[in-house]
Amino acid sequence: MSTDTNQLKSKTHFILLDGLRGVAALAVVIFHFMEMFIPDFTKIFIAHGFLAVDFFFCLSGFVVAYAYDDRIQSYSLKQFFTLRLIRLHPLVVLGTIFGLLALLFDPFATNPQSNSFLQLALISLLSLLLIPYPVMPERAFNLFGLNAPAWTLFWEYVANVLYALFLHKLKKQWLLAGAVVMAGVLFGVTKTAGNITGGWSGENFWHGAARIGFSFLMGMSIFRYQWIIKNQLNFPILAFMLLLAFVFPFRPDWNWLSEPLIIIGFFPLMVSLGAGAVPNNQFKQISIFSGNISYPLYITHYFMLWAFGNYYAAAKPDHATLAWVIPTAILVQLAVAYLAMKYYDQPIRKYLNKKLT
């Protein structure tokens, strides 16, 4: 197993794809801050920031296929899942801890914490185990009330389980056929709901299956078919192109069409371009840092968002105040993510890889 692990580590990273993952994570954070005080998405400049999740899913399908397709047969299911847990779960745990502390000690909360000790213990335990439990009305019945973004990790694990059990065995034609079917499901969900924002709560739980169903299969298909577009685009240009999807206007009459088209057409194109771009030394370190901090930023940012939401409800700050409060909060969150990456996630993963693989 150690030999296989070393071989896996030796695989080339798609540096620009890593960088784009960081851009998408930052877009999610900015969007979440904005929606806390502007519930009307038509008035948010980054109104489609939530679509970054679908980009993550497509990128994940590509990366998992790239990393494991040629060696999955040499792993037992236990070994494969151990590798994925080491990669993903330490930050799931940290995000839950941050969420619990924020719930108990939020200085801006106006209402006392209403959950009983046993209920809160159960919520925390299930969150640590990544088992959905949407029971907190004060948290809009999020699947994971202590750390809302964990819903995407739940579906990520589902996709990884399915990959290990049978997706890796499927011929590329069947993968693509599955992606086409799920594209139809995605259109159906978006048409029925009016948008594709769902997947995070009990009432829209299955929307998450539609979102990862298409994107993960499409990401795998991009790798299997080698739909990699060689190009000379640098990181800033690719980042700007990706941001266009997130700032695309939110129009209730057209979301049923525009959102699936972005997911089905534009994000796979961005994965193909990012995989085929040649890293420019001028932006290489920025891309690497952006990729490294992306997951810690995404999975740990919500505890601060709840505090911001309570602050906004209690203090009712004007726009001039928000103009410096929100950027400051995002900078603080970036610092938290960096510290979590450097002094928690990386050391723990290094230790666990040494002990368990």
Side-chain angles (χ1 to χ4, degrees), residues 297-324:
L297 177 63
Y298 176 76
I299 203 63
T300 67
H301 78 277
Y302 228 85
F303 80 99
M304 189 171 291
L305 277 166
W306 290 124
F308 172 76
N310 288 331
Y311 158 76
Y312 181 76
K316 295 181 172 54
D318 57 26
H319 283 250
T321 302
L322 290 174
W324 66 264

Side-chain angles (χ1 to χ4, degrees), residues 52-327:
V53 166
D54 302 275
F55 177 73
F56 291 148
F57 287 155
C58 187
L59 183 56
S60 178
F62 177 85
V63 170
V64 167
Y66 167 72
Y68 293 103
D69 265 7
D70 62 351
R71 64 195 68 208
I72 185 69
Q73 298 295 348
S74 65
Y75 294 139
S76 67
L77 288 178
K78 180 181 178 181
Q79 289 170 331
F80 175 78
F81 294 139
T82 297
L83 286 172
R84 300 311 292 154
L85 284 168
I86 290 172
R87 175 65 186 93
L88 299 173
H89 216 74
L91 283 168
V92 170
V93 172
L94 186 64
T96 295
I97 293 171
F98 281 171
L100 178 61
L101 293 176
L103 181 67
L104 295 175
F105 304 111
D106 184 350
F108 304 109
T110 56
N111 297 317
Q113 204 283 116
S114 60
N115 298 281
S116 68
F117 174 81
L118 289 178
Q119 177 78 334
L120 194 55
L122 180 59
I123 291 170
S124 301
L125 175 62
L126 294 179
S127 184
L128 290 171
L129 297 175
L130 214 61
I131 299 173
Y133 191 48
V135 297
M136 300 177 71
E138 67 273 29
R139 296 291 174 85
F141 292 102
N142 274 277
L143 296 182
F144 300 94
L146 296 180
N147 192 26
W151 75 268
T152 62
L153 271 296
F154 168 80
W155 286 111
E156 180 81 17
Y157 276 149
V158 169
N160 277 256
V161 169
L162 295 178
Y163 173 83
L165 292 178
F166 72 91
L167 287 180
H168 75 274
K169 301 176 184 178
L170 291 183
K171 293 182 178 179
K172 60 184 180 181
Q173 294 89 341
W174 286 110
L175 282 176
L176 185 58
V180 170
V181 171
M182 292 308 301
V185 174
L186 196 68
F187 265 107
V189 169
T190 311
K191 180 67 174 176
T192 302
N195 55 60
I196 196 62
T197 61
W200 51 270
S201 76
E203 66 178 4
N204 56 45
F205 172 80
W206 289 108
H207 295 190
R211 297 177 74 175
I212 197 167
F214 167 77
S215 293
F216 193 86
L217 290 174
M218 192 65 205
M220 287 188 65
S221 297
I222 292 170
F223 173 73
R224 292 279 183 88
Y225 280 94
Q226 285 296 289
W227 288 333
I228 296 174
I229 303 172
K230 298 296 182 181
N231 63 88
Q232 298 297 319
L233 298 175
N234 59 31
F235 175 64
I237 292 176
L238 288 170
F240 175 77
M241 291 173 64
L242 183 61
L243 284 172
L244 291 177
F246 306 141
V247 300
F248 191 84
F250 190 92
R251 295 291 181 263
D253 292 343
W254 289 100
N255 287 334
W256 69 272
L257 179 62
S258 62
E259 292 176 0
L261 287 178
I262 290 171
I263 296 170
I264 293 168
F266 186 66
F267 287 157
L269 173 63
M270 290 304 303
V271 171
S272 296
L273 289 172
V278 178
N280 185 312
N281 288 334
Q282 183 179 0
F283 302 106
K284 184 176 180 179
Q285 292 306 315
I286 295 176
S287 297
I288 292 173
F289 177 79
S290 178
N292 286 341
I293 204 171
S294 60
Y295 181 41
L297 177 63
Y298 176 76
I299 203 63
T300 67
H301 78 277
Y302 228 85
F303 80 99
M304 189 171 291
L305 277 166
W306 290 124
F308 172 76
N310 288 331
Y311 158 76
Y312 181 76
K316 295 181 172 54
D318 57 26
H319 283 250
T321 302
L322 290 174
W324 66 264
V325 167
I326 291 177

